[in-house]
DNA sequence: AACCCGGAAGCTAA
DNA sequence: CTTAGCTTCCGGGT
């Protein structure tokens, strides 16, 4: 369902994203892919947003559209990026080109010219171009840029419209936001190698600064977001119930330049619960750990769940971190977020839950019986990251080898969702075995029949619903 | 009606 | 081209 460039839908006065705190657990590129939605994010829209301050850090001589930069502008930009993002020294000699030319460089081109910084530069440029397009689009008389997609209404849960928010502010926000994103990107790109979703692995990195957090969540790592949205979107119509996102400047202010060294992640991060850092003792380069960066659903969920600032508890929250039990507080909203993350804007809970159900068969997830929107992770993030070797694991798969992970029998009584449900507190932390994990649709791996369906999460006296549900 | 389930087919990025 | 990981659609059950 690709969106074809076409008439732009009305700019939403309020969108789901309105209530989204930053940073979103989205790939950075999403931010430029969906600038409008993001720009209209609630608190972010406040005119006093620190993001605006960030904009001021951009070289004032640079116009917002990199495509019209002169050679000198390009150099100015590069110097700025180099300094701002703490990039490795860029050889200016091989950037003797104007902005238009630079914008035509592919990620790879940029990487070749600026080893180690290509991703950052590319992403920043993409953002700026997109921003410029959006800006033009937003101007009453501006033509719709061919490449522009309609600024769909992103949000499912919108904050009440922000009175002060007007288009110009939008744009201001955008520009600055883009810059901030750039910083996000940079943090990702510069430290790309490090394992993704550190958060996921280590639980809640309470001490991660924003940049680090973003790093773990936003890594674009090749996702250039150049693909147009491929689905229609429905307007989010609910008002956000989400807790107030961080309003503190620190949350939105310019991400400090990332050191070339990866953040001390997991190790330094204190994490409560079973998802403690399980051993990423080394840094990125050592670990061929797959980098999912929230692009996989389970990782996305983990990242939301483990947000150090608990900003997504309005969407999804642990009921018991130790047992991996979580509740989707706002199914529609979460689905929208996921849809945005994956650039499938017509995502809904039905579809997302289908994806979740595919996790049953590979023992990544199971449903908590008797509790709506409640699921349980059967594997910890580290393990999940490692089961990238699906092909290998699949080979091990055999009907006799599909024993489900030993898990606590957890039953969530059908009572009002309660974070950290006491009834599951006693369940011992997950113990995982390396089980084959294969999400492929081919062939019935049928792990589900032995776990998801036979092993019900029963902790309370509830009758073990034992058998397969179907 | 909302949720939940899983089959089937298709899509996209790697 | 193959594969992973969904996405989309759907019929059916609770």
């Amino acid at each position: 369902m690709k969106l074809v460039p076409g008439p732009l839908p009305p700019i939403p006065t309020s969108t789901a994203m309105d209530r989204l705190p930053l940073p979103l657990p989205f790939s950075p590129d999403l931010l430029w892919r969906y600038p409008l939605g993001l720009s209209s994010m609630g608190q972010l829209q406040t005119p006093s947003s620190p993001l605006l301050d960030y904009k001021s850090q951009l070289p004032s001589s640079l116009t917002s559209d990199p495509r019209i930069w002169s050679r000198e502008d390009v150099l100015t930009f590069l110097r700025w990026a180099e300094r701002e993002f703490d990039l490795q020294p860029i050889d200016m000699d091989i950037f003797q080109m104007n902005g238009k030319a630079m914008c035509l460089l592919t990620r790879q081109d940029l990487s070749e010219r600026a080893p180690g910084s290509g991703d950052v530069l590319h992403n920043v440029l993409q953002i700026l171009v997109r921003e410029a397009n959006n800006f033009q689009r937003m101007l009453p008389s501006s033509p719709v840029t061919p490449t522009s997609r309609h600024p769909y209404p992103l949000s499912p849960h919108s904050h009440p419209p922000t009175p002060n928010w007007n288009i110009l502010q939008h744009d201001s926000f955008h520009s600055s936001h883009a810059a901030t994103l750039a910083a996000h990107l940079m943090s990702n790109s510069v430290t790309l190698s490090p394992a993704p979703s550190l958060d996921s692995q280590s639980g809640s990195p309470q001490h991660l600064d924003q940049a680090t957090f973003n790093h773990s969540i936003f890594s674009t790592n090749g996702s250039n977001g150049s693909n147009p949205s491929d689905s229609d979107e429905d307007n989010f119509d609910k008002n956000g119930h989400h807790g107030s996102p961080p309003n503190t400047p620190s949350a939105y202010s310019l991400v400090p330049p990332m050191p070339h060294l990866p953040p001390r992640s997991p190790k330094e991060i204190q994490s409560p619960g079973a998802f403690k850092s399980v051993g990423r003792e080394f840094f990125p380069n050592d670990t061929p750990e797959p980098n999912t960066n929230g692009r996989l659903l389970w990782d996305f969920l983990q990242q939301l769940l483990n947000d150090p600032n608990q900003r997504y508890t309005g969407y999804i929250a642990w009921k018991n971190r130790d047992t991996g039990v979580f509740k989707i507080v706002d199914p529609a909203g979460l689905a929208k977020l996921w849809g945005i993350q994956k650039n499938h804007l017509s995502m809904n809970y039905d579809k997302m839950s289908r994806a979740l159900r595919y996790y049953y068969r590979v023992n990544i997830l199971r449903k908590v019986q008797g509790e709506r929107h409640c699921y349980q992770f059967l594997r910890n993030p580290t393990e999940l990251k490692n089961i990238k070797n699906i092909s290998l694991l699949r080979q091990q798969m055999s009907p006799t080898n599909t024993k489900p992970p030993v898990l606590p029998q957890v039953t969530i009584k059908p009572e009002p969702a309660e974070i950290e449900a006491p009834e599951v507190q006693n369940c011992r932390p997950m113990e995982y075995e390396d089980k084959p994990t294969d999400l492929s649709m081919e062939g019935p791996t049928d792990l589900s029949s032995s776990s998801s369906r036979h092993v019900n999460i029963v902790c309370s006296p509830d009758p073990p619903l034992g058998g397969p549900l179907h």
Side-chain angles (χ1 to χ4, degrees):
Chain A
M1 290 213 268
K2 290 292 183 188
L3 287 179
V4 291
L8 302 177
I11 295 168
T13 53
S14 66
T15 70
M17 303 311 287
D18 286 350
R19 65 172 187 162
L20 284 178
L22 260 188
L24 292 167
F26 310 141
S27 302
D29 55 298
L30 285 164
L31 296 171
W32 62 259
R33 275 191 276 173
Y34 309 119
L36 287 179
L38 290 169
S39 72
S40 58
M41 279 192 268
Q43 285 70 11
L44 293 177
Q45 300 179 5
T46 61
S48 59
S49 166
L51 292 172
L52 298 177
D53 297 331
Y54 182 56
K55 173 158 183 131
S56 66
Q57 299 180 39
L58 290 165
S60 57
S61 61
L62 296 182
T63 63
S64 59
D65 190 343
R67 292 167 296 190
I68 59 176
W69 289 348
S70 65
R71 286 188 177 201
E72 192 51 45
D73 288 339
V74 167
L75 297 182
T76 300
F77 165 75
L78 292 173
R79 291 192 201 98
W80 170 80
E82 197 178 68
R83 181 182 63 252
E84 201 62 38
F85 302 147
D86 197 23
L87 303 177
Q88 295 171 26
I90 298 171
D91 181 1
M92 302 298 171
D93 290 340
I94 53 178
F95 278 97
Q96 293 300 318
M97 62 187 77
N98 61 22
K100 186 173 183 178
M102 182 170 62
C103 289
L104 291 174
L105 295 179
T106 66
R107 186 183 297 271
Q108 186 179 355
D109 292 335
L110 287 165
S111 294
E112 288 171 359
R113 290 164 191 259
S117 308
D119 279 349
V120 177
L121 296 175
H122 184 261
N123 288 331
V124 171
L125 288 170
Q126 293 281 1
I127 289 172
L128 293 175
V129 167
R130 186 58 55 122
E131 291 301 312
N133 286 341
N134 286 329
F135 180 50
Q136 290 172 5
R137 221 168 41 202
M138 296 185 74
L139 295 176
S141 59
S142 76
V144 175
T145 54
T147 58
S148 63
R149 255 165 277 119
H150 58 279
Y152 52 55
L154 288 175
S155 263
H157 313 281
S158 314
H159 281 298
T162 305
N164 293 337
W165 226 219
N166 57 34
I167 288 189
L168 288 180
Q169 284 169 331
H170 248 71
D171 186 67
S172 293
F173 169 83
H174 270 178
S175 301
S176 56
H177 191 183
T180 300
L181 290 177
H184 291 171
L185 294 176
M186 167 244 119
S187 64
N188 295 325
S189 299
V190 170
T191 55
L192 256 184
S193 34
S197 348
L198 302 174
D199 310 80
S200 306
Q201 293 189 27
S202 52
S204 301
Q206 302 296 336
H207 306 303
L208 281 182
D209 62 15
Q210 206 63 35
T212 304
F213 178 71
N214 291 342
H215 156 77
S216 66
I217 280 189
F218 283 79
S219 292
T220 54
N221 195 16
S223 163
N224 60 14
S226 59
N227 295 330
S229 157
D230 58 350
S231 58
D232 287 328
E233 65 289 336
D234 14 331
N235 285 300
F236 290 33
D237 48 19
K238 291 164 61 180
N239 269 340
H241 58 269
H242 193 259
S244 44
N247 250 340
T248 63
S250 62
Y252 299 131
S253 56
L254 171 59
V255 178
M258 293 294 287
H260 288 297
L261 288 179
R264 299 277 166 281
S265 30
K267 276 295 189 166
E268 294 183 357
I269 299 164
Q270 303 300 317
S271 75
F275 290 102
K276 277 176 193 156
S277 52
V278 192
R280 287 203 73 241
E281 37 236 76
F282 310 110
F283 233 55
N285 298 336
D286 312 332
T287 354
E289 210 169 75
N291 190 333
T292 55
N293 296 314
R295 285 190 293 275
L296 300 186
L297 180 53
W298 64 261
D299 194 30
F300 177 76
L301 298 181
Q302 287 279 349
Q303 292 187 24
L304 295 188
L305 285 165
N306 293 325
D307 173 38
N309 296 321
Q310 298 286 295
R311 286 163 299 188
Y312 304 98
T313 54
Y315 294 95
I316 183 173
W318 288 118
K319 285 184 75 73
N320 185 297
R321 187 191 293 265
D322 287 345
T323 54
V325 175
F326 64 92
K327 182 181 180 78
I328 296 173
V329 180
D330 176 4
L334 180 66
K336 285 296 177 187
L337 296 189
W338 174 235
I340 292 168
Q341 169 79 339
K342 293 297 293 294
N343 199 14
H344 287 276
L345 301 185
S346 62
M347 181 55 63
N348 56 32
Y349 181 64
D350 183 52
K351 295 172 188 172
M352 187 187 72
S353 63
R354 180 70 191 92
L356 292 176
R357 289 194 294 277
Y358 271 122
Y359 284 151
Y360 295 175
R361 66 167 26 165
V362 288
N363 292 322
I364 287 176
L365 274 187
R366 71 163 51 138
K367 186 76 180 66
V368 173
Q369 297 300 321
E371 178 98 349
R372 281 186 168 189
H373 309 140
C374 239
Y375 298 84
Q376 180 181 25
F377 275 107
L378 302 182
R379 296 175 184 273
N380 65 37
T382 297
E383 185 185 8
L384 287 171
K385 297 202 183 290
N386 287 327
I387 57 181
K388 174 85 180 196
N389 323 318
I390 287 175
S391 54
L392 293 177
L393 289 170
R394 202 178 354 170
Q395 294 171 8
Q396 316 176 236
M397 265 197 185
S398 71
T400 58
N401 202 13
T402 56
K403 223 175 53 174
V406 178
L407 278 168
Q409 295 288 298
V410 179
T411 274
I412 306 294
K413 293 176 184 173
E415 59 190 40
E418 181 181 0
I419 308 306
E420 300 297 339
E423 62 265 40
V424 294
Q425 294 291 343
N426 292 331
C427 298
R428 67 190 159 83
M430 290 187 271
E431 291 177 7
Y432 303 107
E433 311 164 19
D434 263 334
K435 287 293 183 276
T437 298
D438 186 355
L439 297 177
S440 72
M441 309 295 114
E442 312 164 8
T445 54
D446 205 22
L447 293 174
S448 58
S449 61
S450 59
S451 66
S452 305
R453 304 193 212 167
H454 290 273
V455 181
N456 288 282
I457 305 166
V458 179
C459 255
S460 73
D462 282 8
L465 303 176
L469 299 176
H470 309 291

